[in-house]
Each structure stands twice: as C-alpha cells, then as structure tokens.
C-alpha cells in the first residue's frame, strides 16, 4: 500500500499496462482504497501531439465492473 500526495491510502493498484504511440491501456485494472474498489479496463486513445490539449483531444474509454467509488475520497484528492 501507499499514500497519494494528498494523503489518500491506496491499498492495491494493479493492472496489465501497455503503452504505444497511439494508446495507453490499463487492462484488468484493480484499485482498492479503504472506501473504494475499482475493477475494469481503461484505455486512452490519442495522437502524440494530442497531449498538449489532453482534455479535448485524448479519447478515454472506460469499462468498469462491479465497482464503487467513495466521493469523500474523490473530494479529498481534488481539493
């Protein structure tokens, strides 16, 4: 386990990661914190130059299974 920079405890972080010039894949993603459990697949599709305008140009595809997210933890990380 480890703590994020803002103090959130992450009990488990595991994935099958693959990086290419057009894609980042986080297959079989598994994240566990004291209040959240996230399982699924996460894919970022892009052209390399798209990172300069990440929010508008990078396409994110997420498929989560039987997951739960504690918004108290999200709030802790975002504020």
């Amino acid at each position: 386990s480890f703590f994020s920079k803002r103090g959130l405890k992450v009990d488990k972080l595991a994935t099958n990661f693959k990086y290419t010039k057009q894609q980042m894949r986080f297959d079989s993603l598994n994240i566990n914190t004291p209040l959240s459990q996230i399982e699924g697949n996460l894919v970022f599709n892009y052209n390399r130059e798209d990172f300069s305008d990440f929010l508008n140009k990078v396409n994110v595809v997420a498929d989560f299974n039987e997951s739960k997210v504690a918004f108290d933890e999200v709030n802790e990380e975002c504020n």
Side-chain angles (χ1 to χ4, degrees):
S1 70
F2 63 93
F3 288 89
S4 73
K5 288 183 180 183
R6 295 191 179 240
L8 177 65
K9 183 179 181 191
V10 178
D11 297 313
K12 181 178 183 179
L13 174 60
T15 190
N16 294 323
F17 178 72
K18 182 177 179 182
Y19 173 80
T20 69
K21 291 180 180 180
Q22 295 84 26
Q23 194 175 68
M24 278 190 290
R25 298 188 66 88
F26 300 84
D27 294 323
S28 301
L29 180 64
N30 190 327
I31 303 171
N32 291 326
T33 67
L35 301 174
S36 300
Q37 291 83 38
I38 300 171
E39 294 181 14
N41 300 301
L42 184 61
V43 180
F44 294 82
N45 296 302
Y46 52 83
N47 295 311
R48 292 187 85 178
E49 61 273 9
D50 293 346
F51 284 109
S52 64
D53 190 12
F54 187 90
L55 292 177
N56 293 307
K57 292 188 177 179
V58 174
N59 177 265
V60 180
V61 179
D63 179 26
F64 297 115
N65 309 310
E66 298 296 320
S67 299
K68 71 175 186 174
V69 176
F71 285 101
D72 287 345
E73 291 177 336
V74 173
N75 189 42
E76 182 179 315
E77 283 298 299
C78 294
N79 289 324

